[in-house]
Amino acid sequence: MPVLFPAAPTNGQIFESGNLRYIYDGVSWESAGTTPIAASIPQYLLASLPTASSAGAGAVALITNVGPTGIFVRSTGSLWIPDGRQVLGRANTTSSHTGNTTETALFTVTVPAGLLHANAQLILTVYFGATSNANTKTFRIRLGGLAGTALTSFTFTTNSLSNELIRRIVFKNSLSSQETYNSVSGSFGPVVGAVATAAVNFANAQDIVVSLQLATGTDTANVYSALLEWVA
């Protein structure tokens, strides 16, 4: 008989069916055997997380103060990596901007110091749109806050009521070296330009920002939803 899982689960939610236990990892329900979760997975604040070497390879921990509902990490024996895709930030409520031509942050996630490793990868997914006319709108992803480095920046005009953008932010063997796909739009496919790069030090806490800027203040720009995941 198929298992009927709860609708709209949250990351880390536990569900029992018969003698089986499942846990939601932010993307899908995964089997957690029959051992009580509280007894098998220790919980920590990020600042009190033990070193990966002291925890031992294969150890799993729940960091309770990162992400909307906490994140699971797994030790390789030398560093902590995400145990599956882990949600660092999300927004399901539309954020809108109109009335001026100032660059405005519509989605912000703070990545805490000490979380990522030198070869981490993040995935940012954004549903966004703006008034569809000939006026210019500028979309940006910034690392280090609204005044930080623009890792992605492109303009759009018509056919802009609804768009999806997905960007993989890759750390290049350093917490101070990032790169991503360099497109002049939200779409995939070949591009002329080289990869987009940044040099923001994520050994410190840093804000990842999605911003929109209007050339004409009477237009409206929206971020309908957004999701930032730690995937590697």
Side-chain angles (χ1 to χ4, degrees):
M1 183 174 181
V3 177
L4 300 177
F5 293 108
T10 58
N11 190 25
Q13 181 174 338
I14 297 168
F15 174 71
E16 294 181 348
S17 177
N19 66 337
L20 299 178
R21 188 182 294 265
Y22 302 87
I23 189 164
Y24 189 71
D25 66 3
V27 178
S28 61
W29 288 98
E30 300 294 336
S31 174
T34 58
T35 303
I37 295 298
S40 61
I41 300 183
Q43 301 182 20
Y44 302 96
L45 298 176
L46 177 59
S48 61
L49 183 69
T51 63
S53 59
S54 65
V60 175
L62 172 63
I63 304 176
T64 59
N65 63 333
V66 175
T69 57
I71 63 171
F72 291 95
V73 292
R74 181 180 297 275
S75 170
T76 67
S78 59
L79 53 84
W80 290 102
I81 61 174
D83 190 30
R85 297 172 73 123
Q86 299 299 316
V87 176
L88 299 184
R90 63 170 175 250
N92 293 337
T93 301
T94 298
S95 295
S96 299
H97 167 60
T98 190
N100 61 56
T101 59
T102 302
E103 181 182 359
T104 301
L106 294 181
F107 178 67
T108 301
V109 177
T110 300
V111 178
L115 177 66
L116 302 181
H117 59 86
N119 289 292
Q121 294 190 26
L122 307 174
I123 292 180
L124 176 63
T125 304
V126 185
Y127 291 102
F128 69 100
T131 307
S132 185
N133 56 30
N135 301 329
T136 299
K137 303 93 181 171
T138 303
F139 178 101
R140 296 182 180 93
I141 298 170
R142 290 191 180 272
L143 307 184
L146 191 58
T149 301
L151 185 62
T152 289
S153 179
F154 60 85
T155 60
F156 58 100
T157 53
T158 56
N159 299 321
S160 59
L161 289 174
S162 179
N163 305 270
E164 180 183 22
L165 174 140
I166 301 174
R167 285 290 183 273
R168 184 182 296 267
I169 301 171
V170 179
F171 287 77
K172 304 295 288 185
N173 201 35
S174 169
L175 285 170
S176 297
S177 177
Q178 303 87 31
E179 72 178 21
T180 195
Y181 173 70
N182 187 9
S183 173
V184 295
S185 71
S187 62
F188 297 100
V191 294
V192 175
V195 294
T197 61
V200 177
N201 186 7
F202 276 78
N204 304 319
Q206 298 290 353
D207 286 345
I208 296 179
V209 172
V210 173
S211 73
L212 282 160
Q213 186 170 11
L214 305 170
T216 303
T218 54
D219 289 339
T220 299
N222 303 294
V223 167
Y224 302 114
S225 66
L227 181 69
L228 180 66
E229 300 170 284
W230 182 22
V231 298

